Amino acid sequence: MSEAEELLTTPAEWDLPPERHRHFKDVLMQQIDQDRSQDLSVRTPGRPPARRRFARPAVLVPLASAALAGALLVTLSVDGRAPATGTTPSATAAGASVTLNRIATAAMASDAIRVRDDQFVYVRTLERSNTGDFSGPVRLGALHTEERWTAQDPGPLHVTGWIRASGKDAIMPDQMLPIESPDAIRAGLHHPTYRWLASLPTDPDALLRRLREEARPVEGESRDQAVFSLIGDLISGTVMPPANAAAFYRAAARLPGVREIPDAVDAAGRHGIAITLDDTGFATRDEWIFDKETLALLGSRYYVTDPDRGITKETLYGTSAVMETAVVDAKGEVPARAASR
């Protein structure tokens, strides 16, 4: 077993849930490909070993991809550059707080979805990820689809969910692959079930205190950045009661450094308002994108700066679009709307 493959079966650290690695997973999978190639030709004289920049343990979150219809590809307008806001940081910070509180109000007014412990939360997303060389510049790959089924069983579980993808650039196309850990996991940050999310404080200050206590930043990352990323993971890949969703947005509004970007584009080419957090000491930056009218979450964008790889300017590293979220009774079950597409 290669060094990178061993990472996929290493027990997950509780401070880094599977979704936290969404914008790093392509790096890990590329490392696997390189390790496998080196297993065959590693003895080539003068060939340096591949570097592994992101060495923290991760649960199995395989990269996969699928091609979309040409019309959707034509509308995609992500150019890889960080957007210029045209406003001062203080203005965008004030705007972010107002916008996040508006988003919280909209979330609070949404219909509650009840989820049983024996069901699965289904999320279908569009993704573009880095397909460039592990040690080189970023090259965004083709737009592809990912489907995830997250078990709502509070556990302890070795397999907390399943993922399926297909199409160009897929590592293991059209296969149902487990999201697993050798150590059994109970409901919590690593396995955010509906029931666990519903147990969290709905007072935003109390929720923020808890998130700050439980977050464990990676090297170079501030605690507030870790909290921001954690909130982003939870709002994009789960179903939760409206009061809890509203609390997450209001907690995010209290983080210093959050700012609003008036126009951002998700992986499906949809324009919206973005919320981000500036952390100059960290190499990556996340954006959450919301519909300008409904304030529903559309997707995310991820940026990276890595001088060691020749990425000296902030560069788009990945982008996603949440296309459907539903509750189903079994892994592999697809909602009717998704099945018809």
Side-chain angles (χ1 to χ4, degrees):
M1 180 181 294
S2 71
E3 185 177 28
E5 288 173 307
E6 288 177 351
L7 279 176
L8 288 176
T9 56
T10 302
E13 295 185 14
W14 68 276
D15 57 300
L16 287 178
E19 292 294 327
R20 179 70 180 96
H21 290 276
R22 178 181 294 277
H23 55 297
F24 294 147
K25 68 186 176 200
D26 62 315
V27 175
L28 186 59
M29 298 311 295
Q30 289 164 35
Q31 181 64 54
I32 290 175
D33 286 344
Q34 290 195 10
D35 284 349
R36 286 172 176 165
S37 297
Q38 288 177 356
D39 284 343
L40 298 175
S41 60
V42 69
R43 312 306 176 225
T44 304
R47 182 177 182 180
R51 292 184 301 129
R52 188 180 73 252
R53 286 187 57 83
F54 305 104
R56 294 173 70 86
V59 297
L60 176 58
V61 185
L63 171 66
S65 56
L68 278 198
L72 187 55
L73 290 171
V74 170
T75 63
L76 188 65
S77 58
V78 176
D79 61 8
R81 295 176 297 177
T85 63
T87 55
T88 64
S90 60
T92 56
S97 180
V98 171
T99 299
L100 281 166
N101 280 288
R102 289 177 56 220
I103 293 168
T105 299
M108 192 70 183
S110 63
D111 294 334
I113 301 175
R114 302 299 302 178
V115 186
R116 301 192 312 266
D117 290 351
D118 62 339
Q119 292 181 308
F120 289 76
V121 169
Y122 170 86
V123 179
R124 178 168 57 94
T125 60
L126 303 181
E127 307 280 342
R128 287 188 76 190
S129 303
N130 177 37
T131 59
D133 184 80
F134 177 72
S135 60
V138 173
R139 288 193 296 271
L140 290 181
L143 193 66
H144 59 273
T145 298
E146 288 187 1
E147 296 172 286
R148 291 171 184 258
W149 291 262
T150 300
Q152 298 302 292
D153 186 334
L157 301 176
H158 287 282
V159 176
T160 59
W162 299 80
I163 184 171
R164 180 174 66 196
S166 61
K168 183 180 178 181
D169 297 332
I171 300 298
M172 290 168 277
D174 302 317
Q175 297 184 42
M176 287 287 291
L177 301 168
I179 300 173
E180 62 184 352
S181 170
D183 295 327
I185 299 174
R186 294 186 179 276
L189 290 180
H190 264 315
H191 180 37
T193 65
Y194 180 93
R195 184 183 295 274
W196 177 78
L197 290 162
S199 74
L200 296 175
T202 55
D203 175 79
D205 292 315
L207 178 61
L208 186 56
R209 284 194 299 271
R210 177 161 177 177
L211 293 174
R212 279 178 167 151
E213 289 172 357
E214 297 190 351
R216 295 294 184 271
V218 298
E219 184 178 355
E221 183 182 34
S222 71
R223 187 169 298 276
D224 285 339
Q225 174 66 53
V227 170
F228 185 83
S229 296
L230 176 57
I231 293 174
D233 296 337
L234 295 174
I235 63 175
S236 64
T238 60
V239 171
M240 67 183 78
N244 295 97
F248 275 114
Y249 292 124
R250 293 194 171 105
R254 288 158 166 76
L255 291 171
V258 292
R259 64 180 172 91
E260 177 182 331
I261 298 169
D263 186 61
V265 185
D266 72 2
R270 301 175 297 190
H271 287 256
I273 304 168
I275 300 295
T276 191
L277 186 143
D278 291 320
D279 184 356
T280 57
F282 198 49
T284 66
R285 181 176 65 82
D286 302 349
E287 293 177 0
W288 311 334
I289 305 172
F290 299 88
D291 186 276
K292 294 180 180 181
E293 299 295 330
T294 67
L295 301 177
L297 180 69
L298 296 179
S300 305
R301 297 195 296 193
Y302 315 103
Y303 290 88
V304 64
T305 305
D306 188 350
D308 288 347
R309 294 165 61 189
I311 308 170
T312 57
K313 294 183 179 179
E314 190 176 58
T315 302
L316 186 68
Y317 194 71
T319 178
S320 69
V322 179
M323 304 307 294
E324 184 167 19
T325 301
V327 179
V328 296
D329 291 331
K331 72 176 183 357
E333 181 179 333
V334 178
R337 291 187 301 277
S340 64
R341 296 189 182 188

